[in-house]
Amino acid sequence: MENTITKKDLKHLVLVGNPNVGKSVFFNSLTGMYVDVSNFPGTTVDISTGRYGDYIVEDTPGIYGVSSFNDEERVARDVIINGDLVLNVIDAVHMQRDIFLTQQLIDMGKKVIVAVNLIDEATKKGIKVDTEALSGQLGVEVVATSALKGIGMNEIKQKIANAGVGIKTEGVQELLNNYDLNEITEAEALMLLEDDEVLSERKGLPTAGKREEIYKNRRQRVDRILESVLSDSYNGTSLGTTIGRLLLKPITGIPMLLAIMAGMFWFIGVFVAQTVVDFTEGTVMEGYYKPFIESILGFIPKNSFIGSLLIGDYGLLTMTVIYILGLLLPLTIGFYMLMSILEDSGFLPRIAVLSDKTLSKVGLNGRAIIPLILGFGCITMATMTTRLLGSRRERVIATFLLGLTIPCSAQFGVIIGLLTPLGMKYIIAYTALLILIFGISGVLMNKILPGESTQLFIDLPQIRMPQFKNVMKKTFVKAKAFLIEATPIFALGAVLITVLQYTGLLGTIENAISPLTVQWLKLPEQASVVFIMGIIRRDFGAAGLSHMVLTSPQMLVALITITLFVPCVASIIMIFKERSKAEATAIWLGSFAIAFLVGGVLAQLIV
């Protein structure tokens, strides 16, 4: 009979919870591998959707309340309002925080079922939750779960159909009745009562100015509920708790962070970028795939336009495929695997907290550490992840700093190989210059751009062992989404470069910038080719320096300039996709100007 059910007949089951409460595990358990990840219309927030029985399951961003203070909350609000029932996942260890959102969902008049997750970790900490009493107090079904271990998952699935409307905060129903509930829903009415300006404009109805009154009454109700359902027999801290606390103290956290970063760099920059990529790109793609595809299309003259377009140096079937599958895919899988491990283990939020104070100086908060770390793998991928930042202002700053000062793993590997023979003095000089430029550029951007950056509000989950299945599922979904989005961009870049090369415009551009490289940067004439190749692919440009006879000061000038130089064409296209045309153009031209300004001044001083 299921085959006769149309999409129109399906109900919408919405997953809601604070950040890091384990919603993704519930989503995976309900939907399996049949997942679609897409941008919510009008935002940069990703929404995962899937199918469970007669329900469309929608996973909302982690939120602390339903409102319109940021993109995540606006998206969650709209999905919840249009949902038929809500599966609210709360953290048994942090119920004092999470139940406030639960009560707000109930006040919206939504059908709710509550999963008290991480119940095993709460037990280890001596926290006891009376779920039966909690169910009676809230008026909805409550199930104790440990999603990672599968505890309570079957019971959740059985009770979804029993989701019901709970007991509202005192006085809320009377306030809701002031609205025509035939014209708007109770959920929309509550948002107007709580002064949601966005919904007010959308519905053409005034806000009521009742937010503080409702919040105060809701907090009092939540506190009474917690007193009756929670008991604490805490006798000591677990190893995970101790590690989590040490990570938050600068004196212990910074060395631990450096150790984590060193491990990440070795895994991505050495093992994946060199060992794995040498095999996938060199052995498999260059050794087997490229000769195979060239033999199949051997009837097409390679020096013809079609030949150049398909199997030329930058061909759609040669460089594009080799670059995406041989280089980017291993790096993408490696990074998302590491990020999933850090996220599931509880380390990532602590890294964000530890770096928050430093990043606030450049107009960012600790959450920006994620795209900055990713940038050392691939700027294109990292630019996409700036979507998780809380404001347009922060996304502009992060995108600019990524493109300007962060070398991708492929380029960084080449740079390290060129710097090492010069000695420690030049390695320190290179590193110090990049850090200085990062700081100065960030501080200036923070002062120039209007508005203010958002504060870091982030949950600190228990440090725990990540689950292999969950890590692999997250890695698969994110890597797949990246390939779907990035492949057309790389293909477009390949076509663009092929046209420039075939028409001779590439040589014209090389000649045009030659005076700049020779007189200002004090580099040999053939260095102009290096910068052109750097636009095509960052490591191509850096690798070109290895074939040139340069003094140590010239090599430092060249490496600093090509690092600051605008990133590869794929990253440029991604920047234009993620930012407005004006913002992207400013970022692009700004990186040109700063790269040649810094490189030229350095050349005049030391060459």
Side-chain angles (χ1 to χ4, degrees), residues 514-536:
S514 180
L516 180 64
T517 56
V518 174
Q519 297 171 21
W520 179 239
L521 297 180
K522 295 189 176 181
L523 297 175
E525 188 175 345
Q526 61 266 38
S528 58
V529 179
V530 168
F531 293 107
I532 298 299
M533 295 302 294
I535 297 178
I536 298 168

Side-chain angles (χ1 to χ4, degrees), residues 321-372:
V321 176
I322 292 170
Y323 191 33
I324 290 172
L325 298 183
L327 175 68
L328 273 186
L329 184 58
L331 287 170
T332 302
I333 291 173
F335 258 102
Y336 278 132
M337 186 183 299
L338 278 183
M339 297 307 293
S340 297
I341 290 171
L342 288 175
E343 183 181 359
D344 277 22
S345 64
F347 277 89
L348 192 58
R350 286 169 173 81
I351 292 174
V353 171
L354 196 61
S355 60
D356 183 59
K357 188 173 182 180
T358 300
L359 290 177
S360 67
K361 307 292 185 185
V362 296
L364 301 171
N365 64 43
R367 195 182 294 270
I369 196 67
I370 298 171
L372 292 178

Side-chain angles (χ1 to χ4, degrees), residues 260-281:
I260 292 170
M261 297 288 285
M264 290 181 66
F265 175 77
W266 176 85
F267 181 75
I268 297 297
V270 178
F271 177 69
V272 177
Q274 296 180 30
T275 306
V276 175
V277 169
D278 279 351
F279 175 74
T280 56
E281 186 179 25

Side-chain angles (χ1 to χ4, degrees), residues 409-423:
S409 62
Q411 186 190 45
F412 195 49
V414 176
I415 289 172
I416 290 296
L418 294 172
L419 273 176
T420 303
L422 304 184

Side-chain angles (χ1 to χ4, degrees), residues 273-529:
Q274 296 180 30
T275 306
V276 175
V277 169
D278 279 351
F279 175 74
T280 56
E281 186 179 25
T283 304
V284 176
M285 300 305 290
E286 293 282 358
Y288 294 99
Y289 169 77
K290 188 176 180 181
F292 172 73
I293 201 70
E294 286 179 342
S295 66
I296 289 179
L297 299 177
F299 62 91
I300 302 176
K302 199 171 181 179
N303 58 355
S304 67
F305 178 72
I306 296 299
S308 299
L309 188 64
L310 296 179
I311 56 175
D313 293 338
Y314 314 108
L316 291 171
L317 299 179
T318 49
M319 188 196 79
T320 303
V321 176
I322 292 170
Y323 191 33
I324 290 172
L325 298 183
L327 175 68
L328 273 186
L329 184 58
L331 287 170
T332 302
I333 291 173
F335 258 102
Y336 278 132
M337 186 183 299
L338 278 183
M339 297 307 293
S340 297
I341 290 171
L342 288 175
E343 183 181 359
D344 277 22
S345 64
F347 277 89
L348 192 58
R350 286 169 173 81
I351 292 174
V353 171
L354 196 61
S355 60
D356 183 59
K357 188 173 182 180
T358 300
L359 290 177
S360 67
K361 307 292 185 185
V362 296
L364 301 171
N365 64 43
R367 195 182 294 270
I369 196 67
I370 298 171
L372 292 178
I373 291 173
L374 286 174
F376 284 98
C378 175
I379 301 297
T380 309
M381 178 171 58
T383 301
M384 288 170 58
T385 63
T386 58
R387 297 172 183 176
L388 61 82
L389 302 181
S391 68
R392 184 188 66 81
R393 183 179 190 270
E394 289 169 289
R395 291 190 282 272
V396 171
I397 294 174
T399 302
F400 178 70
L401 293 178
L402 273 169
L404 180 66
T405 60
I406 306 294
C408 68
S409 62
Q411 186 190 45
F412 195 49
V414 176
I415 289 172
I416 290 296
L418 294 172
L419 273 176
T420 303
L422 304 184
M424 187 55 66
K425 180 175 71 172
Y426 284 93
I427 294 174
I428 293 173
Y430 174 83
T431 305
L433 278 168
L434 285 188
I435 293 173
L436 181 65
I437 294 163
F438 179 96
I440 293 173
S441 301
V443 170
L444 289 175
M445 291 281 286
N446 190 27
K447 291 184 179 297
I448 292 170
L449 289 181
E452 295 184 0
S453 298
T454 60
Q455 298 296 313
L456 178 67
F457 295 104
I458 194 166
D459 180 35
L460 296 177
Q462 172 73 9
I463 296 291
R464 53 181 179 263
M465 185 65 70
Q467 296 293 308
F468 178 79
K469 183 179 179 181
N470 198 38
V471 169
M472 290 298 101
K473 178 63 183 293
K474 285 185 177 181
T475 302
F476 172 80
V477 170
K478 290 179 179 178
K480 178 184 174 184
F482 170 76
L483 284 180
I484 291 172
E485 187 157 5
T487 300
I489 295 174
F490 284 100
L492 179 60
V495 171
L496 176 63
I497 296 300
T498 299
V499 171
L500 288 176
Q501 185 187 44
Y502 192 79
T503 58
L505 288 174
L506 196 59
T508 303
I509 296 171
E510 290 175 1
N511 294 331
I513 67 170
S514 180
L516 180 64
T517 56
V518 174
Q519 297 171 21
W520 179 239
L521 297 180
K522 295 189 176 181
L523 297 175
E525 188 175 345
Q526 61 266 38
S528 58
V529 179

